[in-house]
Amino acid sequence: MNDDVNGRDVEARATRRERERGMMRTSATTTATTATTGTGTGRRRQRRAVGTRRTREGAGRARGTTARAMGTRRGGEEPVVMGMTRVVRSVVVGETEGRGREVRARAVLGAGSEEEEEEEGDATGSVAMGRLLLVFVAMAYGTLTVTLKLVFESQGPPTAGVLGGVRGLMTVLCFAPMLASKNSTGGPGDKTGPAFWRSAAELAFWNLGNQGLCNVALLFTDATRVSFFTQASIAFTPFVASLGGDRVSTMTWLGCALAFVGVAILGMDGGTAAAELGGGFNLGDWLAIAGAASYSMYIYRIGSFAKQGFSGQGLQIWKNAFLGVMYGAWALSDVYAYSSGAIGASIPWADWQNWKVWALIAFSAIIPGCVADLTQAKGQETVSASESSVILAGEPLFAALFSAICLGEFLGPMGYLGGALIVTGGLVTAEIFKPKSAAE
């Protein structure tokens, strides 16, 4: 039994020794492996460090080469030449990009030039069209006095009041679509209310004074003289403006003086009028001059109302409506005077069935009454105010031409001289002859 125990002890010791030896071998292997791994890692790190150092040295040599190529001087001096490689690359790329940009620029400029030429062509065409429209307006306005004179010279003509009433009604019908529109009194930013209606009614009153007096003047004087005297409204406007507190320029006063001289010379001509008064002026001339003064007030008040914030177009639309009502009241008064047997009352319209007279009245209401107003607004969108004044100043000249053709009326030398001075005064008032540098 002791032998068995001893044998087991011996075996246990042997087994323990083997285990210790195995552990020692494992530890040695692990140590060797670790050493080997560390050595490999160290060698790799060493190789990486060497490579990095060589790279830095190469970069340093490259920088040195570049610095020498650039010719950098110490002491803060500027570089003389760029590095050759970069210079070549920059030049090539720069030339390529520059050529591309130049080509693109030329293409853009070429397109822009073509567009500018097209725009200039369109603008030129628009201005030319605007001038033609304003010439038409001057011609249309020049036909008004001639047309109304033809009405009065017909058999059994209407009275001035009936003529104004019928013509005013036709004009209102022309503006009916505008009167029915929602924005007939102006846009959202325009001033409205009771003051708007008072302003429109006042403009209608001054317009009635102008056109109504001219209608009556045609019963006593020539259509050409009435047209020239109406143009003389420019002689009254500066006085009205100065009384209203506005500053009047020297050129305006000069134009005013020329117009007054023209009126005086035109009055000396006499013409073919029937009832002449002293100094060559007749009743029709004085009525036409009074109408010109009323038109001056009309023009001045338009400007005043515009400054107050009213819509100019809205005032014009409703002015025609009020004017139609006023003309209608005048026509009814003529009818009442005749029907009541008033002394000196004329037959309101003896030959009212004459369709030629109806056609003449309709023409006066549609062409110079409505179409001319709208056409003038369109033409002045592209034509300057100064040039517009020059073209529109031809109205009495067209009136003289149409009067000579349709009525056989001719002015004498003094009449044409006076008319020329009136037109010149209008151009001077519009500062046509003022130097551009001074006008600017």
Side-chain angles (χ1 to χ4, degrees), residues 224-430:
T224 305
R225 293 170 66 85
V226 172
S227 182
F228 275 115
F229 282 130
T230 304
Q231 185 73 15
S233 60
I234 57 176
F236 299 99
T237 305
F239 290 98
V240 176
S242 60
L243 291 176
D246 293 347
R247 180 180 175 275
V248 180
S249 65
T250 304
M251 294 293 288
T252 301
W253 285 117
L254 177 59
C256 174
L258 288 174
F260 266 119
V261 174
V263 169
I265 295 177
L266 180 60
M268 296 176 185
D269 184 68
T272 58
E276 294 190 358
L277 299 179
F281 285 93
N282 57 67
L283 178 60
D285 295 340
W286 291 111
L287 291 174
I289 293 173
S294 181
Y295 188 70
S296 297
M297 281 297 302
Y298 172 77
I299 295 298
Y300 174 73
R301 293 301 287 167
I302 286 178
S304 299
F305 293 144
K307 294 177 182 178
Q308 296 176 27
F310 295 109
S311 169
Q313 182 178 0
L315 287 176
Q316 288 296 318
I317 293 173
W318 284 100
K319 177 266 298 181
N320 284 287
F322 283 111
L323 186 60
V325 174
M326 293 178 181
Y327 272 129
W330 188 4
L332 291 177
S333 66
D334 284 355
V335 174
Y336 176 77
Y338 175 76
S339 61
S340 62
I343 300 175
S346 302
I347 301 176
W349 192 354
D351 194 15
W352 62 271
Q353 294 179 337
N354 188 341
W355 66 269
K356 293 182 179 179
V357 175
W358 281 98
L360 289 172
I361 297 175
F363 176 86
S364 68
I366 296 172
I367 302 303
C370 178
V371 175
D373 287 347
L374 300 177
T375 305
Q376 180 179 352
K378 182 65 177 177
Q380 287 190 277
E381 290 180 357
T382 55
V383 181
S384 65
S386 299
E387 189 173 357
S388 299
S389 300
V390 174
I391 298 174
L392 295 176
E395 174 193 340
L397 303 180
F398 283 111
L401 175 62
F402 295 141
S403 296
I405 296 174
C406 301
L407 300 171
E409 295 179 353
F410 296 93
L411 296 177
M414 297 291 286
Y416 287 114
L417 175 60
L421 287 176
I422 293 174
V423 173
T424 303
L427 300 181
V428 171
T429 302

Side-chain angles (χ1 to χ4, degrees), residues 107-117:
V108 171
L109 290 175
S113 300
E114 293 178 358
E115 292 178 357
E116 289 177 358
E117 290 177 358

